[in-house]
Amino acid sequence: MRLIERIIVFLSKDTLFQDTIQMEAERVQYYYDELKRYYLKTDSDWADKAKSYRTIAHRFYNEYTGLDGRLCDAMREFYKWNTQKEVSGLAFKLKDELNNIVHNNVEIDKKRLTLFYDALVRLIYVATKVMPDDATLDFIGYKPAGALADLNDQQKDAVLCPDRVIYVSAGPGTGKTHLLINKLLWYINVSNVKERIVALSFTNTAANELGDKFRKKAFETQLSKEYDFYNGTIHAFCFKMMKSYYAVNGREFNYIIIDDSDINDLADEIRVQLVNTYTADEIAECLRSYLKTKNPALRAAVSDIKKRYNIISIEDILNRFLEYLNEDDAFRLWISSQITTLVIDEAQDLNEMNYTIFSRLMEVIPNMKLFLVGDPKQNIFGFNGGSYENLNNFLSGVGEYSEKTLTNTYRCPQVVADYVNTFQFTDCPNPPLVSLSDVSGSVNLKVLHSPESEASFVLNKIRSQGNLRKSAVLCRNLRYLGIFINLLNFNHIPYKVFGGRKVVKPHVKIFNHFMRIIESDNRYSIKRIGQIFRVGVTEESFYKSDLGERVKEIKFRANNPDMNFADIAAAVVDLIDYQGGDEVTDDYAKLLEISKQYSSIEDYLLAFATDKDTFGDFYQKDYVECVTPVSGDFLTVTTIHSAKGLEWDNVFIMGMSDENFPNPYFARDLDKQGKRKYFNDSLKLMYVAATRTKEHLFLTYSEDNSYGYSQTPSRFLRTLKM
């Protein structure tokens, strides 16, 4: 089927676009032919092709994103209404690319051309489920691959397993994401009914990666069967399910999610109201989850303020969802029609409440398939309640299930695998890693005299490796890296730090408050903005002010289907009269860039409350910032927790003394349960840190600490064979 016919099929799905079908389709066909003609020209170099391409792009932009442009917006809005996020995102990507070419005078090369055309072709495919012709696929560089063609025997065994409940223990670098994607495709291809798949990840970053790779694989394998696919975190899933249920019943679920910064502000407010009867920490804990607070007076006060402001915490979401599952027959009946298959990533990091919800879903939806992937040896988020015990107890309660194991790592060289295979955990299984990497690699231990000499050694070694992006410096906490970060600044080495941030910056709070007001007239945010800008703190008085009138204008525009979240974000930044210096300006620019990833205010606010890595730049720093502009090449400096799921050629783990890792106080008396747990948790941190390595692992420590007292090497180094 030609591109023109495909577009006609797509547009004919709604009568709104009938009058423009033929005209718009012919226009797209023209630009398709023009782009392809110049792309394939053999008698011209890229400079000539780029010039021709720019001319075509300008004309395309004027017709499709100007006053008369309708096709891209029609596609985006039609499928936005149908909650198909990927279509909206692709359409925005296409439009954004055109904007870059026309307004920013970007350099045209093969990569940019392919990006542009790939967005158009995939947009049409997602909308119609009809694959482009072979010539089109060749043009954008896609080589359709058959399902299961690139799986090893362990992965294939897990994918082809027909059992209703499957748990896969997947070590680092064993192709966990690849496995998940192929299992999703397998579920869809073999099913006799329309699959409604929910895929849940521990973080938004992991969820987005899984979703993007799945959709690309679905395209490459020419998946044509109808299916519904949702991917996100468990909090996002529960929130959206409750909101959808309310919408089906003609009601609004207009709660606003609050993050930790909001909780701390509210705790202070309640503490004053209660005449200091309770501490701010006690109140904050109750705000996070009333279930953890036994005092009825405090629970009542917190419940009252949540109702008054119409707010909900992250933990409240899960509690409320479970209540619906337990108490609302209509909700149970409705949700049983929404899910056929549940896929869980990073199963080792989920807490007891998460598994309680999964257990209840299994009861409510008796035929629901369940596929879990995790690695107990990478359970490093125990402070959030995640543990192998939770996973094991859940599996024990589901009845029959199949367990598979992935041990073939494509990331770590054998020498790194040999080192971590010596780790002996007492609270989970210990299947050894087997390296399939063709890199010889190395594990290097370096003992230095002082923290200063340790920092100098690491910096000199990184410099000798060349490309900064290929290396990362890891540590248990950022405090230990202070000397190293100062040295980076002194030598003007560009770097980015990940981890260690806790408090949202004031100007970012302001941006978020405005978003909540636009979304739902949230009383708490109206009060905060009213106080900050010295206008009315009630809804009535706020909207009588000039600022309130301008907010009403944005709210009115936000209801226009032509206005996406990125447009709303830009309007809010224009509204805020800020004079905060370069940092504030840079942060707002970053917010505008990030806003392109989200289709609605709701999605943005939910992500902000749950994904501190993505929004890390918007938290107060507890470390010295880089003094050198970070663009292009830079070094990653990170805590081990923030390094989870990432990889680098060269990994440097600093501070490998027993005093720092794991800390001898907790390492003594290992027969005591609490200290044994701490030791296992510390060993898992070391396991995660070491297995980020694709080539060379460097372990360093200093004989003396910063105060001149002697240190001993970490017991985690005793099994190292040099």
Side-chain angles (χ1 to χ4, degrees), residues 301-423:
V302 169
S303 177
D304 178 69
I305 202 165
K306 284 184 175 181
K307 289 178 182 178
R308 189 192 320 161
Y309 291 143
N310 217 32
I311 56 179
I312 189 169
S313 73
I314 293 297
E315 292 188 51
D316 285 340
I317 294 172
L318 302 188
N319 295 332
R320 185 72 58 86
F321 185 83
L322 186 59
E323 287 176 2
Y324 282 14
L325 283 176
N326 289 333
E327 301 171 9
D328 192 327
D329 291 338
F331 180 74
R332 287 197 293 271
L333 180 64
W334 174 79
I335 203 167
S336 66
S337 67
Q338 304 301 306
I339 310 172
T340 62
T341 301
L342 181 61
V343 176
I344 309 296
D345 190 14
E346 302 290 2
Q348 78 281 349
D349 288 325
L350 300 178
N351 60 32
E352 187 176 359
M353 171 60 80
N354 300 152
Y355 281 113
T356 301
I357 289 173
F358 300 151
S359 296
R360 196 71 183 98
L361 283 172
M362 296 285 288
E363 296 169 357
V364 171
I365 316 172
N367 295 321
M368 184 182 74
K369 299 179 288 293
L370 180 63
F371 189 78
L372 304 100
V373 180
D375 182 8
K377 293 192 288 187
Q378 296 189 73
N379 170 223
I380 61 173
F381 294 97
F383 51 83
N384 287 330
S387 74
Y388 175 66
E389 184 179 5
N390 294 331
L391 171 62
N392 199 38
N393 290 340
F394 170 76
L395 291 172
S396 300
V398 299
E400 293 185 3
Y401 69 94
S402 290
E403 184 171 345
K404 308 293 182 180
T405 304
L406 304 186
T407 57
N408 295 323
T409 179
Y410 295 89
R411 175 193 301 156
C412 303
Q414 189 61 55
V415 65
V416 174
D418 289 341
Y419 171 50
V420 298
N421 286 340
T422 64
F423 296 180

Side-chain angles (χ1 to χ4, degrees), residues 5 15 21 28 67 125 130 132 158 174 199 256 258 284 305 377 382 429 436 448 460 540 573 579 678 683:
E5 295 169 329
T15 57
I21 287 174
V28 173
L67 294 175
Y125 164 73
V130 178
T174 57
I256 291 294
I258 54 175
I305 202 165
K377 293 192 288 187
L436 297 184
L448 289 306
N460 291 332
E540 182 181 3
V573 169
Q579 300 291 330
Y678 181 92
L683 192 59

Side-chain angles (χ1 to χ4, degrees), residues 53-66:
Y53 175 47
R54 189 178 298 279
T55 301
I56 297 169
H58 272 76
R59 295 207 304 269
F60 202 161
Y61 174 84
N62 290 333
E63 292 193 24
Y64 280 88
T65 66

Side-chain angles (χ1 to χ4, degrees), residues 263 267 280-290 292-293 315:
I263 286 174
D281 288 342
E282 290 174 323
I283 298 169
E285 188 66 19
C286 188
L287 280 165
R288 289 186 183 92
S289 177
Y290 67 89
K292 296 180 180 179
T293 304
E315 292 188 51

